[in-house]
Amino acid sequence: MSTRRYSAFALAREALRDHLGWQRAWAKASPKPRYDVIIVGAGGHGLATAYYLGKNFGIRNVAVLEKGWLGGGNTGRNTTIIRSNYLQDSSAAIYEKSRSLYETLSQDLNYNVMFSPRGVMMLAQTEHEVRGYRRTAHANSIQGVQTEFISPERVKELVPIIELKGPRYPVLGALWQARGGTARHDAVAWGYARACSAMGMDIIQNCEVTGVTSEAGRVTGVQTTRGDIGCDKLGLVVAGHSGVLAQKAGFRLPIESLALQALVSEPVKPCMDVVVMANTVHGYMSQSDKGEMVIGGGTDGFNNYTQRGSFHHIEETVRALIETFPMISRLKMLRQWGGIVDMTGDRSPILSKTPVEGIFVNCGWGTGGFKAIPGSGWAMAELMAKGASPLAADFGLNRFREGRFIDESVAAGVAH
C-alpha cells in the first residue's frame, strides 16, 4: 500500500477516535443508556446494516457493539472476492444487489474502498462442472446477472499462467463474470464506520455482549462487559459466533461454525489480473495490489472456533493449485490466517426475525460473506425498519421448518 493510502486510514481512525470517546457521553448519561437499535458486531455486515438504517430510514439513534476491534473478525480476514453468479433466484438477487452497490460504494461513502472489477472465473474441470456452470449461466441470463460460459482458449487468453491440460483436472471451460472482482476489506469496514459516525451513531469497541434481556417475549436490552444498555430493537450480526449469541437470547440457530483458512505468497511481479476459482481441486487464487498471490480453499473438516492456520491446509490447497498454476510451486508463503464462518445446511444465509420479538438475526453467510456486505446491510436494515424486505423474504428461519431450502452448495462449493 502507498503512503497516501496509509494516511487515509490514519485520518479515518482519528476521525472515529473523537466519536468513539463515547465513554465521556456515557458517564454523563443515565445509568442505563438506551438506543432505538443496537447492532451486535462491528464487521462489514453490522456496520452496513447501521449505515443503511440511517441513510434509507433515518434511524440514527443506533449503537454498534463489538467485543474486539472494528473489522477485526471475518471482515479483516477474508480474501475480498466479489461476485453474484449464484443459481437460485433469491440468492442471485441479493448478491447482485450487493455487487451493484460495490460499484458506487466509494462515491456513496466518500471513501475509497478500492473496488476492482477485474473479473471472476470459476473453472470447469470435470464434465459435471461443465453442465453445472452452463446451467448457472442460463439461470443468470434469466435473472439479469451478466455471466457467460467461456472456452478453454478464452480462459488461457485471460489467464496466461494457467495450465489447461493438467494431469488430473484439465480445464474444460469456465463460468466468467467480467463485472465481479475484489475490494479492500479494511477500507469497506472503515468507510461504513466513518459514515455511521458522521450520522451520530455510537461504535463501541471492546464491549462484549454477555446476555440479552427481555420482558414478555420482547427484547429490552443487552448486558455487556461495560454495563447494561437498553434498546427497542436488536440485530445480531456476529458471523461465526451467531449460535453462541442466539443461545444467550434464548433460541437456537441451525448453523455450525468452522474455520476457513487462507494464505498469501511473497510478492511477485504482476502475472494475473483476474480472480480464479477451482471448485474441483478446492482452491482459488488472485493477485493483490502488492503482488502477493492470495490463496485459499475450503473450510476445515470439523467444527471449531480457531482463527489460526494449519500445515495440512497449506499442503492440500497448494498441492492442488500447483497442477493448474505450475509457476506458484517456487513461491514462498508469506503469512497464513483463519476466520470463523457460520454454515447453514443449504449454504444460504439467514436474515430473519426470531422467536424473541424485536430481535433480528443476520448470519449463515458461510464462506461468501464479504461479497454480500452492501446487499446484506441493505436488506437487514429494511427488515429491521419495516418488518419485511423483498431481498430477505426467502432467507427466514421458517424455511428450515417448512423445508423451503435455498440450495447453493454448488455455487458456494469452493469457499467463495
Side-chain angles (χ1 to χ4, degrees):
M1 299 174 72
S2 68
T3 303
R4 178 176 298 177
R5 195 176 301 155
Y6 274 124
S7 70
F9 282 119
L11 288 172
R13 291 190 185 97
E14 289 297 330
L16 275 170
R17 190 170 294 133
D18 294 338
H19 192 70
L20 296 182
W22 55 273
Q23 294 95 334
R24 294 189 297 273
W26 200 331
K28 298 177 182 177
S30 62
K32 184 177 180 179
R34 186 169 190 85
Y35 294 89
D36 292 337
V37 175
I38 290 177
I39 303 294
V40 184
H45 290 259
L47 292 166
T49 299
Y51 172 73
Y52 291 115
L53 277 171
K55 179 183 178 183
N56 294 348
F57 302 102
I59 301 173
R60 301 189 175 188
N61 184 24
V62 176
V64 183
L65 312 184
E66 171 57 50
K67 73 173 183 178
W69 62 93
L70 191 155
N74 288 355
T75 299
R77 296 171 180 269
N78 65 83
T79 51
T80 74
I81 298 172
I82 298 168
R83 63 182 178 90
S84 61
N85 51 354
Y86 280 71
L87 178 62
Q88 308 297 342
D89 290 349
S90 50
S91 302
I94 195 166
Y95 283 109
E96 178 65 9
K97 175 67 173 179
S98 187
R99 190 206 57 76
S100 65
L101 287 171
Y102 264 121
E103 288 189 329
T104 59
L105 193 59
S106 294
Q107 292 85 354
D108 293 341
L109 300 178
N110 191 29
Y111 194 89
N112 184 12
V113 302
M114 299 167 64
F115 175 64
S116 172
R118 63 185 66 184
V120 176
M121 178 185 300
M122 303 175 70
L123 299 180
Q125 295 179 285
T126 65
E127 291 296 339
H128 174 75
E129 279 190 311
V130 171
R131 292 192 296 271
Y133 286 150
R134 287 189 184 278
R135 177 192 181 198
T136 300
H138 293 318
N140 289 163
S141 177
I142 295 171
Q143 295 156 348
V145 178
Q146 296 180 16
T147 62
E148 60 178 319
F149 188 82
I150 59 176
S151 67
E153 293 74 24
R154 177 62 173 154
V155 171
K156 184 68 173 179
E157 181 182 338
L158 290 167
V159 191
I161 66 172
I162 201 168
E163 173 55 60
L164 297 179
K165 300 179 180 180
R168 290 190 300 168
Y169 301 110
V171 176
L172 306 177
L175 184 64
W176 170 243
Q177 184 170 24
R179 296 181 70 175
T182 62
R184 177 70 185 180
H185 42 29
D186 296 319
V188 171
W190 280 95
Y192 274 124
R194 191 177 72 162
C196 290
S197 176
M199 286 189 280
M201 299 178 183
D202 289 329
I203 302 171
I204 308 173
Q205 303 179 87
N206 300 309
C207 181
E208 181 178 359
V209 173
T210 58
V212 177
T213 59
S214 61
E215 292 181 5
R218 181 174 182 83
V219 68
T220 58
V222 295
Q223 300 166 344
T224 79
T225 52
R226 291 183 175 272
D228 295 349
I229 313 174
C231 68
D232 296 326
K233 294 181 179 180
L234 175 65
L236 308 181
V237 195
V238 293
H241 285 88
S242 297
V244 175
L245 206 55
Q247 285 190 320
K248 294 182 187 297
F251 59 92
R252 296 182 63 187
L253 293 173
I255 60 172
E256 55 183 359
S257 297
L258 305 98
L260 179 66
Q261 300 180 41
L263 61 113
V264 294
S265 74
E266 59 186 331
V268 293
K269 292 182 178 180
C271 60
M272 180 175 165
D273 60 358
V274 303
V275 179
V276 177
M277 302 168 55
N279 285 15
T280 298
V281 299
H282 236 67
Y284 56 96
M285 189 168 72
S286 62
Q287 189 168 21
S288 73
D289 295 340
K290 292 185 287 185
E292 302 162 346
M293 305 308 293
V294 183
I295 297 171
T299 58
D300 285 1
F302 51 92
N303 293 355
N304 65 91
Y305 287 94
T306 184
Q307 292 181 309
R308 298 188 301 271
S310 59
F311 287 112
H312 79 271
H313 176 81
I314 303 171
E315 182 180 4
E316 293 175 5
T317 303
V318 175
R319 179 179 58 195
L321 283 176
I322 284 174
E323 292 187 17
T324 307
F325 301 96
M327 66 156 283
I328 70 171
S329 64
R330 294 179 177 272
L331 295 180
K332 295 181 175 65
M333 186 182 77
L334 184 64
R335 61 183 181 276
Q336 181 189 23
W337 66 92
I340 309 166
V341 299
D342 47 341
M343 309 283 284
T344 60
D346 59 2
R347 298 303 185 258
S348 289
I350 299 170
L351 292 99
S352 178
K353 297 179 179 179
T354 70
V356 181
E357 188 177 355
I359 297 182
F360 302 80
V361 64
N362 180 346
C363 66
W365 291 97
T367 59
F370 179 76
K371 70 173 71 69
I373 285 174
S376 162
W378 185 287
M380 184 69 169
E382 187 173 28
L383 178 63
M384 295 188 72
K386 301 172 63 176
S389 169
L391 285 175
D394 292 338
F395 297 107
L397 278 168
N398 58 348
R399 78 176 190 268
F400 298 101
R401 185 184 304 111
E402 299 169 0
R404 296 183 295 99
F405 302 122
I406 308 171
D407 186 6
E408 290 291 1
S409 54
V410 173
V414 60
H416 288 270

